[in-house]
């Protein structure tokens, strides 16, 4: 099975712009979670989607949003970018509602100038 | 109470030696404890995981030791190899409606030839 794929892999934006990142989970996986990784804050949970519904949200401002489509693919959007949003954004997929194991994609490296 | 504390921050081990990384948690509701390995430019890869009803789990050269009463768990890498040089993250989650992973701060392991 192919792993979790994320596009684009690298992105450079300027402050005030918005960005959309995409994630395709492992085939058959219905849950997608997003994490932000920075040197200062480490790995932090953003949100999780299961069957197109947001099940949980981390402690991030409303500028961070996401959605999941019927084919389980997910997108996350960050509006009004700030310098501090520069990070590696990771997507992880799980097989279903009661499975703990999460498998991560390679991430999207976002740089905000 | 949601934190997972990881130590040491960095570790240097000679080839063939044992690498030991420790984590401690506060929330007794956590019921799933995975370890992830991350190479530069890659997403975290699930290495091994344990649940609190087991005190030890071994997969190849990797062993998790779990001490429920002390709320601590550790990763042992036996016969450490230069290819094991990476950053290791412990994590915890609780299997209620949220499967979000709470990550430790990471340990950068260097295995010298």
């Amino acid at each position: 099975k192919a792993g979790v794929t994320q596009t684009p892999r690298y992105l450079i934006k300027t402050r005030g712009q918005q960005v959309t990142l995409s994630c395709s989970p492992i085939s058959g996986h219905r849950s997608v979670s997003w994490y932000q990784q920075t040197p200062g804050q480490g790995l932090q949970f953003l949100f999780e989607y299961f069957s197109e519904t947001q099940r949980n949200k981390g402690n991030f401002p409303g500028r961070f949003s996401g959605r999941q489509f019927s084919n389980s693919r997910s997108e996350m959007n960050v509006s009004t970018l700030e310098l501090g949003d520069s990070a590696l954004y990771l997507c992880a997929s799980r097989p279903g509602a009661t499975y703990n194991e999460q498998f991560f994609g390679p991430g999207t490296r976002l740089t905000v100038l | 109470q949601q934190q997972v504390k990881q130590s040491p921050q960095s570790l240097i081990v000679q080839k063939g030696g044992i690498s030991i990384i420790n984590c401690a948690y506060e929330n007794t509701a956590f019921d799933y404890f995975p370890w992830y390995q991350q190479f530069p430019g890659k997403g975290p890869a699930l290495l091994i995981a344990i649940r609190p009803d087991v005190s030890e789990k071994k997969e190849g050269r990797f062993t998790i030791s779990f001490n429920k009463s002390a709320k601590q768990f550790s990763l042992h890498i036996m016969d450490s190899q230069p290819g094991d040089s990476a950053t290791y993250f412990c994590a915890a989650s609780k299997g209620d409606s949220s499967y979000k992973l709470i990550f430790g701060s990471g340990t950068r392991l260097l295995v010298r030839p």
Side-chain angles (χ1 to χ4, degrees), chain A residues 6-44:
Chain A
Q6 292 186 246
T7 57
R9 292 294 313 280
Y10 303 92
L11 208 49
I12 299 175
K13 293 286 188 179
T14 56
R15 279 181 299 174
Q17 286 187 311
Q18 76 166 23
V19 66
T20 299
L21 312 182
S22 181
C23 170
S24 292
I26 294 171
S27 177
H29 286 198
R30 296 168 61 193
S31 166
V32 172
S33 295
W34 289 89
Y35 292 80
Q36 182 196 63
Q37 185 174 25
T38 60
Q41 299 299 316
L43 281 150
Q44 293 187 289

Side-chain angles (χ1 to χ4, degrees), chain A residues 30-31 48 50 55 94-100, chain B residues 95-99:
Chain A
R30 296 168 61 193
S31 166
E48 181 196 9
F50 180 80
R55 287 162 53 97
R94 284 193 296 123
T98 58
Y99 288 84
N100 288 96
Chain B
D96 50 12
S97 60
S98 159
Y99 286 82

